[in-house]
Amino acid sequence: MIYRENFEEREQKMLSSFAAKSQDSAGRRYDEEKCKVRTDYQRDRDRIVHSKSFRRLMHKTQVFLAPEGDHFRTRLTHTIEVAQIARTIARILSLNEDLTEAIALGHDLGHTPFGHSGETVLDKIHDGGFQHNIQSLRVVDVLDGKKGNDKRGLNLTFEVRDGIECHTGGKLPSTLEGQIVRLSDRIAYINHDIDDALRSGIISEADLPKDCIDVLGRDHSGRINTLIMDLVQNSDGKDKILMSKRCADSMDKLRSFMFENVYYSSKVKKHEDLVKVSKIIEELYRLYTAAPERLPQEMQAMIEEFGLYETVKDYIAGMTDRYALQIHNELCN
């Protein structure tokens, strides 16, 4: 039988000096007895996978609103792809795979229904704005897991929480594992969104910028492999996760192409769909702030502690696409 201490000893012996070792974690928000057989990062990963917020990701939009087809990405499949890419990189660099995977699996738990379109609406109407990375941290700290006033949330380690919060935005994660997830998120979504856009006919292979394709590769797996190998070659033995300027510039240019031709394309997000998303979220927000008694009892109980508007924002952000549609049809029509 292998105990937690055996895994911790293996980490100390086998991982890079730059790796975050579970034995050296800065700890959890509140103390608890350690698991006998799992490290703290393994335990965090398991808590995220078994959370309700993680399960809801399968019914949240990635890019395409209500796609007609079985193979378009959802927020859950995106998350799994990020975890796979990130764990591969961590393994090659002898960094902590468990920590990397935990961050990757938790990084998008705070995403709204209807993808970034829903996030844009909530950011506009909610006082203080809305950022999905901050909401993801709030999910693991407050909204999922334990509900007691003194001990809320999943009680994850500092390193996982830091990686979740800093996977996007101006602040760099404090661990290399978190930095891997930050770049893996971009590698994953740019490439799988290209794959979905090609499948849908929104763009063709000939539309992709030739100079970027010449650098990164002509197919989905080739581009991902190029970016992974470039990243590990430029990060090996360093205290920061880096990519060559050539690949980074090509990836950024490809990202700009996707924003111009896919993410903001009227073919992907038709005006009437965007209006519908805005209407659903705005009307639900107004309804619940005007009549908080319509919130579930569990959410009503949080109003005194967190305030009405914050609680309503939390409830709407946690909805899946189909649940938001269902509740709006029931209460607002």
Side-chain angles (χ1 to χ4, degrees):
M1 186 171 179
I2 303 177
Y3 292 95
R4 184 194 76 252
E5 291 88 351
N6 301 127
F7 285 117
E8 292 174 343
E9 185 178 351
R10 287 183 186 181
E11 288 181 355
Q12 295 291 341
K13 289 181 177 179
M14 298 178 64
L15 295 186
S16 163
S17 60
F18 298 112
K21 281 82 168 181
S22 55
Q23 195 174 29
D24 301 327
S25 170
R28 303 183 183 277
R29 298 179 74 203
Y30 50 88
D31 293 334
E32 60 180 66
E33 185 178 353
K34 287 185 177 291
C35 179
K36 290 183 179 179
V37 294
R38 292 172 296 167
T39 69
D40 285 348
Y41 299 147
Q42 290 171 348
R43 203 175 191 186
D44 284 359
R45 176 201 59 208
D46 295 348
R47 288 179 179 182
I48 290 168
V49 168
H50 289 283
S51 70
K52 291 184 291 185
S53 301
F54 185 78
R55 294 196 295 276
R56 289 198 296 268
L57 294 177
M58 71 180 296
H59 296 298
K60 292 195 177 192
T61 290
Q62 173 65 18
V63 172
F64 289 81
L65 297 171
E68 295 179 2
D70 292 336
H71 302 120
F72 290 93
R73 269 73 172 190
T74 66
R75 190 61 59 181
L76 178 61
T77 56
H78 162 71
T79 295
I80 293 171
E81 291 183 33
V82 173
Q84 179 272 316
I85 291 169
R87 187 150 190 161
T88 296
I89 294 168
R91 183 183 299 119
I92 297 170
L93 292 175
S94 293
L95 297 175
N96 197 311
E97 293 181 49
D98 295 322
L99 171 58
T100 304
E101 186 177 31
I103 296 169
L105 292 174
H107 82 282
D108 269 356
L109 292 178
H111 252 294
T112 62
F114 312 114
H116 288 287
S117 300
E119 181 176 8
T120 299
V121 178
L122 262 186
D123 185 51
K124 180 180 71 173
I125 65 176
H126 179 65
D127 187 25
F130 183 90
Q131 296 173 279
H132 77 267
N133 58 316
I134 303 300
Q135 188 68 16
S136 294
L137 183 62
R138 182 163 172 78
V139 167
V140 300
D141 280 355
V142 175
L143 301 175
D144 217 324
K146 295 179 180 179
K147 301 300 182 184
N149 288 333
D150 57 335
K151 294 181 179 180
R152 288 187 177 275
L154 300 178
N155 196 30
L156 304 181
T157 57
F158 164 79
E159 293 78 16
V160 173
R161 295 174 60 249
D162 169 78
I164 289 173
E165 180 183 9
C166 301
H167 82 269
T168 188
K171 185 180 176 184
L172 201 64
S174 63
T175 65
L176 297 194
E177 290 81 0
Q179 293 176 34
I180 287 174
V181 173
R182 185 180 170 99
L183 281 171
S184 296
D185 182 33
R186 182 169 289 198
I187 291 172
Y189 78 70
I190 291 172
N191 284 287
H192 65 49
D193 292 348
I194 289 174
D195 193 40
D196 282 353
L198 290 170
R199 180 180 295 108
S200 71
I202 299 299
I203 59 173
S204 68
E205 294 276 2
D207 294 327
L208 297 172
K210 184 178 182 302
D211 54 342
C212 298
I213 299 309
D214 288 344
V215 172
L216 301 179
R218 300 200 166 274
D219 59 34
H220 178 71
S221 61
R223 286 188 289 270
I224 290 178
N225 185 68
T226 296
L227 289 165
I228 288 175
M229 294 308 299
D230 182 84
L231 190 151
V232 298
Q233 288 166 1
N234 284 276
S235 304
D236 187 30
K238 298 185 174 69
D239 62 355
K240 189 175 181 181
I241 301 302
L242 301 166
M243 191 176 285
S244 72
K245 187 177 187 304
R246 184 166 179 255
C247 278
D249 288 348
S250 295
M251 187 168 71
D252 286 345
K253 184 173 180 179
L254 205 51
R255 180 174 180 267
S256 297
F257 167 85
M258 290 297 290
F259 269 97
E260 182 178 346
N261 294 277
V262 178
Y263 301 143
Y264 293 150
S265 170
S266 60
K267 295 180 182 178
V268 176
K269 296 175 180 175
K270 298 176 183 177
H271 177 70
E272 57 267 31
D273 289 336
L274 295 176
V275 170
K276 185 176 181 180
V277 167
S278 182
K279 174 182 169 68
I280 289 170
I281 291 181
E282 288 184 19
E283 289 187 356
L284 286 175
Y285 192 87
R286 286 199 299 269
L287 170 74
Y288 287 124
T289 52
E293 67 276 7
R294 288 180 175 266
L295 289 166
Q297 287 295 127
E298 181 180 301
M299 300 306 296
Q300 290 183 45
M302 298 174 65
I303 293 175
E304 183 177 355
E305 182 176 357
F306 298 108
L308 173 60
Y309 292 95
E310 185 76 1
T311 302
V312 169
K313 177 265 296 179
D314 288 339
Y315 185 51
I316 294 174
M319 292 179 177
T320 63
D321 296 20
R322 64 183 186 180
Y323 184 69
L325 284 165
Q326 175 191 329
I327 292 296
H328 183 264
N329 287 336
E330 291 175 3
L331 301 181
C332 300
N333 289 332

